[in-house]
Amino acid sequence: IAGRGQLTLFVVLDCILLGPTVGKYALAEVHLAREKDLGRNDTQFITITHLGNLLKSGDYAMGYDLTTISFNDQDVKSLRGKQLPDIILCKKA
């Protein structure tokens, strides 16, 4: 559905651990802003991620911004009616 070229750089504003930890991964609520938007607008996103133990305020993370990605109708047909997050984080940058 989305490739590496569509990854977006985000700045972590806050990271709140929510629960279970498995190895180096932990469930967390993360407050983010697009790196390219810093200083231009105050758009912030909140998402849930498995990278809770790796991220802290001021870190950079790569993820998919589903608010700006255009999807092919065939790709998202099976996702209709399901609630998707605005941001899906993939890795710490």
Side-chain angles (χ1 to χ4, degrees):
I1 293 178
R4 227 182 345 173
Q6 294 171 303
L7 283 171
T8 303
L9 185 62
F10 294 94
V11 177
V12 176
L13 303 175
D14 194 18
C15 184
I16 304 163
L17 293 177
L18 295 178
T21 300
V22 179
K24 65 180 180 177
Y25 301 108
L27 188 66
E29 177 181 288
V30 180
H31 298 242
L32 307 158
R34 282 188 217 100
E35 190 268 339
K36 67 180 182 180
D37 288 347
L38 286 179
R40 294 189 183 147
N41 62 45
D42 292 334
T43 305
Q44 294 183 14
F45 301 95
I46 300 172
T47 193
I48 305 295
T49 184
H50 65 290
L51 301 173
N53 274 350
L54 302 175
L55 298 174
K56 56 186 177 289
S57 295
D59 284 345
Y60 291 93
M62 299 295 290
Y64 294 105
D65 183 355
L66 300 184
T67 63
T68 60
I69 292 178
S70 296
F71 292 110
N72 186 346
D73 195 40
Q74 290 292 339
D75 292 337
V76 294
K77 190 182 243 183
S78 64
L79 299 174
R80 289 184 203 251
K82 296 194 170 57
Q83 187 175 9
L84 295 175
D86 289 338
I87 307 296
I88 298 176
L89 290 181
C90 298
K91 64 179 183 175
K92 182 177 177 176

